[in-house]
Amino acid sequence: MPATSTPPRSLAALALSLACATAAAQAPSATDLARLDGFTLGLEAAGRFSGVVLVAHDGNVVFEKAYGLRDENGEAPLRADDRLNLASAGKMFTSVAILQQVAAGRISLDSHVGDVLKDYPHRGFADTVTVRQLLTHTAGAGDVDELFGAAHAAGRARLRSAADIIALHGGRAPEFAPGTQQKYGNYGYVVLGRMVEVLSGQDFESYIRAHVLAPAGMTRTGFVDCDDPAPDLAAGYVEVDGRRVRNCATLPARGFAAGGEVAPAADLLRFVQALRDGRLLPLPLFMEATTPQREFMGLGFFATGYGPDVPKRDFRWGHGGNADGICTDVRTYPHTGETVIVLSNKGAPACFAVSNLLHAQWKGAP
């Protein structure tokens, strides 16, 4: 992905140009969508993909279909309205939550961690790392390895909140001087989640439900335990010691600020529309958040495909994610009007091949 900087034009002008481009773009044809369906059916037949694919054009659903089984050890087929784990695509909810604090004037993008978390253990981290750097993965915040892998099952059970995780890792210094490099990780979003709690006076889950999911009409998205027996939850699997077991053996027990919520594809389209309509963030701030800031990142959103040699039609914003038995991709192409949402209960990379195909082959806009 090309290195980028903010395009040299106002956000208002950018919004107008995107609106005009979208209005002029043709919807994908029945042939385009049949090609996507055939490709996905091939991956399903090969055992590489099961999940839900949703395509919208200018907010209107033009394709929605489920493939494979809800549980590979069962017989029930996946349904298009089933809920699947979002993995790191859930970081978008955390990004919106902290940007709402910016919009409310409680903090700025250049506020430091320590301005909010007064008792953050490592003062060097607290006094130098900014909200902007956490959102763009340029803080040197590192990761939370203890949340993943079968070997960490016992310790993982004790890490149930952002405060728990900060108590474990809050004493470490940034991996590099904040702002000098970019390295994707989960811990920075845990810190952002804790900042949302302190600024709002609500626990993270309650805040997200009230201020992100509810305004967007996302009634079936939320936080559930990995082993929840609800019949509309897709199950993912992973191989541990030569056996296929539920991915609960290697993943956090519940969604948190770095991702792992569950949602049906249609709710994610509602999220995209709520952002585009200004229901979650002021439109100028949303446009800034989905404009490249550093390499592949906007402010908490992937913002890729922008550069001097990249056609305008290829710019997209959204977020992907993958973990054991999970692969998810949510992407919107403003210049063509496409939103492509692929949720899978099989691991990467097949879901990314599905989400790439339509845009790569469809010539709906220059």
Side-chain angles (χ1 to χ4, degrees):
M1 296 173 229
T4 61
S5 58
T6 303
R9 50 182 170 168
S10 73
L11 293 172
L14 179 59
L16 178 62
S17 71
L18 295 184
C20 293
T22 298
Q26 289 183 319
S29 70
T31 300
D32 298 321
L33 297 171
R35 187 178 295 117
L36 172 65
D37 186 32
F39 177 76
T40 310
L41 285 168
L43 291 174
E44 178 192 5
R48 296 173 56 197
F49 180 81
S50 61
V52 177
V53 180
L54 184 151
V55 178
H57 183 258
D58 290 346
N60 300 309
V61 177
V62 297
F63 182 87
E64 186 176 21
K65 185 173 177 179
Y67 302 82
L69 299 175
R70 186 180 292 145
D71 185 320
E72 67 182 51
N73 286 333
E75 297 181 356
L78 266 167
R79 296 168 52 97
D81 62 351
D82 280 343
R83 295 179 293 163
L84 289 89
N85 192 300
L86 302 182
S88 284
K91 286 184 172 70
M92 291 187 289
F93 305 152
T94 305
S95 301
V96 168
I98 198 70
L99 290 172
Q100 288 175 341
Q101 310 311 306
V102 173
R106 299 185 183 103
I107 54 170
S108 75
L109 289 169
D110 296 313
S111 293
H112 294 100
V113 169
D115 296 337
V116 177
L117 304 185
K118 306 292 187 182
D119 58 352
Y120 191 88
H122 193 283
R123 296 318 304 172
F125 188 105
D127 295 339
T128 61
V129 169
T130 67
V131 171
R132 186 190 307 273
Q133 291 162 350
L134 292 171
L135 285 167
T136 56
H137 297 278
T138 59
D143 219 315
V144 192
D145 294 339
E146 293 82 358
L147 289 176
F148 302 92
H152 295 126
R156 181 165 58 241
R158 295 191 292 270
L159 300 175
R160 302 292 293 186
S161 69
D164 292 338
I165 298 170
I166 289 175
L168 179 66
H169 285 302
R172 67 188 183 191
E175 291 185 9
F176 47 80
T180 63
Q181 301 179 43
Q182 186 177 50
K183 184 178 179 181
Y184 185 91
N186 290 305
Y187 180 66
Y189 277 69
V190 173
V191 176
L192 289 171
R194 181 59 183 151
M195 293 174 75
V196 169
E197 291 182 327
V198 171
L199 289 164
S200 69
Q202 292 181 271
D203 67 88
F204 182 75
E205 290 189 16
S206 296
Y207 183 91
I208 295 298
R209 282 194 294 267
H211 299 281
V212 179
L213 305 182
M218 301 171 70
T219 59
R220 296 182 58 236
T221 298
F223 302 83
V224 302
D225 291 338
C226 184
D227 57 1
D228 189 305
D232 66 336
L233 284 170
Y237 282 77
V238 64
E239 189 166 302
V240 176
D241 296 330
R243 295 188 307 116
R244 294 285 288 174
V245 299
R246 283 287 305 274
N247 56 4
C248 303
T250 64
L251 297 179
R254 191 174 177 91
F256 65 120
E261 299 90 341
V262 301
D267 265 13
L268 292 170
L269 179 60
R270 294 183 182 98
F271 177 66
V272 169
Q273 287 302 111
L275 285 166
R276 296 174 76 174
D277 294 345
R279 281 181 279 141
L280 297 179
L281 294 171
L283 285 174
L285 184 56
F286 163 65
M287 293 303 302
E288 185 177 2
T290 54
T291 297
Q293 307 290 321
R294 176 80 176 256
E295 296 291 340
F296 58 88
M297 287 301 301
L299 298 172
F301 295 83
F302 290 170
T304 65
Y306 175 83
D309 300 319
V310 177
K312 287 182 179 179
R313 75 180 298 275
D314 289 342
F315 173 77
R316 69 181 191 266
W317 62 266
H319 212 293
N322 70 89
D324 293 335
I326 305 166
C327 186
T328 185
D329 201 355
V330 181
R331 55 175 69 185
T332 291
Y333 294 87
H335 287 278
T336 64
E338 298 161 82
T339 293
V340 180
I341 297 165
V342 182
L343 308 179
S344 178
N345 60 341
K346 287 190 180 292
C351 86
F352 302 128
V354 173
S355 57
N356 279 327
L357 184 83
L358 180 67
H359 183 82
Q361 298 195 357
W362 168 52
K363 304 302 179 185

